[in-house]
Amino acid sequence: MNLVELIRKKREGGSLSEEEFRFLMSGYVKGDVPDYQMSAFLMACYFQGMSREETLTFTRLMLHSGQVIDLSEIPGVKVDKHSTGGVGDKVSLILAPMVAACGVPVPMISGRSLGHTGGTLDKLESIPGFRTDLTISEYKHVIHDVGVVMIGQTKEIAPADKKMYALRDVTATVECIPLIAGSIMSKKLAEGIDALVLDVKTGRGAFMQTHDRSMELAKTLVDIGIGFGKETIGFITNMNQPLGVAIGNWLEVVEAVGCLRGAIGKNNTSTDLMEVAYVLSGTMVYLGKKAKSIEEGIEKCKKSIADGSAYHKLLDLIRAQGGSVDAIENLERYPLPKFAMEIKSSEQGFIGEIDSFELGMTNISLGAGREKMDDIIDMKAGIVLKKKVGDAVDIGDSLAVFYTDREDVLTAARKRIAKAFKISAVKPELKLMILDVIDKNGVRKFS
Ligand code: URA
């Protein structure tokens, strides 16, 4: 087989056979296919896309480039959730313990923050001592003993994806739906799951900013899941303002712990976050056969918060993965950043918009996120919103507080955060959080 011919075939819109894909991908993992030829192939995929058959083949080869974890000895239907990521998206931290508390095992392999969106691994690692680098044998022990486990991609999981994703990142070929879908699903299918819930975010703070692109990605992801024999339900959810109130690793852990302790009813600020968390977790409980409907699953998850079982499951998970339960039980003892600055409103009215992309980018400048994969992040840094879209605001009211150790960014961050809040004279109509459901029956509006 000739590599140049394969690249040309894709460039001209042709479809590659399984054998051709295998030649290209196994050659790349072994080092026989150089980066420059793989880059050219990825760019051809970016412009020409892939057929359904090609997408499934590509995913299968990525999946089998490494180990597929066998969790068949763990009783129950194993269910995970994947989110395409957004600003303030700490849903996994709340959802995984809730679902496990309802008796559904949750094996979860998550990613790190990159660009304006956060990553579950960094949030977990802000908990002192918490290990996300478990071996596969430790991973199996934790899911067996606790019913939930949360780790990062190991070198055994989809190594072809790891190598190819790093190349895509520096060759402007990330934003290609079949490549994204194959990359996400190869890692999820390697976890040992039986079923999967997908949260594809749409809006200014999302990876996919338009509804059409989010829908195309969601349909492709669900189709791959079903194609691999896993029950898969996808949701398109709103990411036009940050989810909940906290942005930044430890700050998001604090918000998630508050939600798990049931503080939501008292401060009423994390309602959008909990709306998404309940729908996704309820769907997991339904797919895990512990509820007859999504609605019954939601009720069970609400009960797991009310009776404290979800919070205690989080503590069990943290203990099992080497983290400090004491830090969670005594959140106020965590080290404070050097600077805490409040942003006050200079106008009266209602919060019309909060630009989550801008806040996500400001969060990086505070030290809480990364522009490059090897950037070191400050776990304490971030932003806490004091107002959300639709809230009434007076001159002098607090809009947000930001935290950082970097003195040199204070002035610019203050300006950027203030600009991210748009005040309007009339109360804006609140957008739905859950827009569409995609499953084996097609697409429908969520009600
Ligand atoms: N996340 C992934 O895991 N892969 C992609 O290609 C994009 C986002």
Side-chain angles (χ1 to χ4, degrees):
M1 239 176 269
N2 181 312
L3 272 172
V4 179
E5 279 309 311
L6 293 190
I7 297 168
R8 185 175 294 122
K9 187 170 176 183
K10 183 44 67 193
R11 189 193 72 191
E12 299 305 315
S15 287
L16 266 58
S17 67
E18 172 152 3
E19 208 191 344
E20 290 170 325
F21 263 115
R22 182 171 293 116
F23 176 73
L24 192 72
M25 288 168 64
S26 65
Y28 185 59
V29 174
K30 280 189 265 162
D32 297 342
V33 174
D35 278 352
Y36 54 82
Q37 282 183 307
M38 185 49 95
S39 306
F41 177 74
L42 291 169
M43 193 56 88
C45 291
Y46 177 88
F47 283 110
Q48 294 295 354
M50 286 187 199
S51 69
R52 176 173 187 270
E53 266 327 291
E54 284 180 293
T55 307
L56 289 173
T57 302
F58 173 68
T59 309
R60 186 164 44 250
L61 292 172
M62 296 258 272
L63 170 66
H64 292 294
S65 68
Q67 191 173 335
V68 181
I69 302 174
D70 179 6
L71 294 181
S72 56
E73 75 274 19
I74 310 282
V77 181
K78 275 73 70 184
V79 191
D80 187 18
K81 183 253 352 176
H82 177 80
S83 158
T84 55
V87 180
D89 181 2
K90 71 280 290 173
V91 167
S92 292
L93 303 178
I94 304 166
L95 157 152
M98 273 199 289
V99 174
C102 293
V104 176
V106 183
M108 195 177 267
I109 297 183
S110 304
R112 296 195 178 279
S113 78
L114 190 60
H116 68 285
T117 63
T120 301
L121 281 192
D122 299 313
K123 294 167 203 184
L124 288 168
E125 287 174 2
S126 74
I127 302 168
F130 194 98
R131 281 184 58 214
T132 58
D133 62 345
L134 302 189
T135 62
I136 290 180
S137 149
E138 289 171 320
Y139 170 88
K140 287 186 175 180
H141 275 109
V142 176
I143 181 107
H144 177 271
D145 295 348
V146 186
V148 50
V149 62
M150 299 174 90
I151 64 162
Q153 184 177 6
T154 69
K155 61 182 185 328
E156 295 93 349
I157 303 291
D161 169 65
K162 203 164 190 169
K163 192 165 178 194
M164 229 180 276
Y165 189 83
L167 186 64
R168 286 168 58 211
D169 200 26
V170 292
T171 54
T173 50
V174 168
E175 302 92 337
C176 166
I177 285 181
L179 296 178
I180 296 170
S183 164
I184 291 174
M185 292 303 283
S186 59
K187 286 171 285 205
K188 290 284 129 181
L189 292 164
E191 291 174 337
I193 50 165
D194 301 305
L196 182 64
V197 172
L198 294 158
D199 177 10
V200 178
K201 304 220 168 278
T202 192
R204 179 86 177 125
F207 187 48
M208 293 285 155
Q209 301 206 348
T210 67
H211 186 264
D212 282 357
R213 289 281 288 166
S214 304
M215 181 60 81
E216 199 186 332
L217 177 59
K219 283 181 176 168
T220 310
L221 292 166
V222 170
D223 190 49
I224 296 174
I226 294 170
F228 278 80
K230 312 289 174 192
E231 274 216 73
T232 309
I233 301 182
F235 292 89
I236 308 268
T237 70
N238 194 328
M239 190 21 82
N240 272 317
Q241 66 168 328
L243 204 50
V245 293
I247 309 165
N249 301 292
W250 175 250
L251 297 172
E252 294 192 40
V253 170
V254 172
E255 184 178 9
V257 167
C259 291
L260 284 167
R261 285 184 188 156
I264 171 77
K266 290 179 207 136
N267 62 17
N268 207 31
T269 51
S270 306
T271 41
D272 57 347
L273 167 66
M274 286 311 288
E275 186 182 340
V276 175
Y278 279 135
V279 170
L280 300 176
S281 57
T283 307
M284 290 172 76
V285 173
Y286 163 66
L287 287 176
K289 311 246 182 287
K290 295 287 178 188
K292 291 192 182 61
S293 62
I294 295 178
E295 292 69 26
E296 190 188 331
I298 293 173
E299 286 315 308
K300 290 200 165 183
C301 289
K302 287 187 175 170
K303 190 162 169 285
S304 76
I305 299 263
D307 66 15
S309 57
Y311 176 61
H312 284 102
K313 190 58 83 177
L314 176 77
L315 298 184
D316 292 345
L317 170 72
I318 291 173
R319 196 176 294 112
Q321 295 197 211
S324 164
V325 166
D326 188 57
I328 300 295
E329 295 270 66
N330 301 285
L331 297 167
E332 68 290 348
R333 288 198 206 141
Y334 204 77
L336 291 172
K338 279 197 203 135
F339 304 99
M341 296 201 81
E342 193 176 20
I343 313 292
K344 291 188 176 174
S345 180
S346 55
E347 291 172 77
Q348 189 193 33
F350 295 89
I351 307 293
E353 273 175 48
I354 303 175
D355 186 336
S356 40
F357 177 78
E358 196 51 28
L359 292 186
M361 295 309 288
T362 311
N363 196 43
I364 299 176
S365 74
L366 299 176
R370 6 178 126 69
E371 267 152 12
K372 296 186 282 24
M373 220 47 211
D374 52 1
D375 287 348
I376 309 277
I377 56 183
D378 176 0
M379 295 300 184
K380 315 180 292 302
I383 306 165
V384 175
L385 308 183
K386 299 295 178 185
K387 297 280 180 197
K388 296 271 295 182
V389 170
D391 287 350
V393 63
D394 254 328
I395 294 171
D397 277 359
S398 182
L399 296 175
V401 179
F402 70 91
Y403 301 90
T404 185
D405 279 349
R406 297 185 180 169
E407 191 167 8
D408 57 319
V409 303
L410 295 178
T411 309
R414 178 192 279 278
K415 278 195 197 140
R416 284 181 87 171
I417 297 172
K419 235 175 113 194
F421 283 82
K422 306 273 178 300
I423 314 283
S424 73
V426 285
K427 190 174 162 96
E429 206 176 304
L430 287 186
K431 298 211 168 82
L432 289 174
M433 287 309 296
I434 317 275
L435 304 171
D436 311 276
V437 189
I438 302 99
D439 62 14
K440 58 178 186 272
N441 301 314
V443 179
R444 62 178 189 281
K445 288 278 161 221
F446 184 74
S447 55

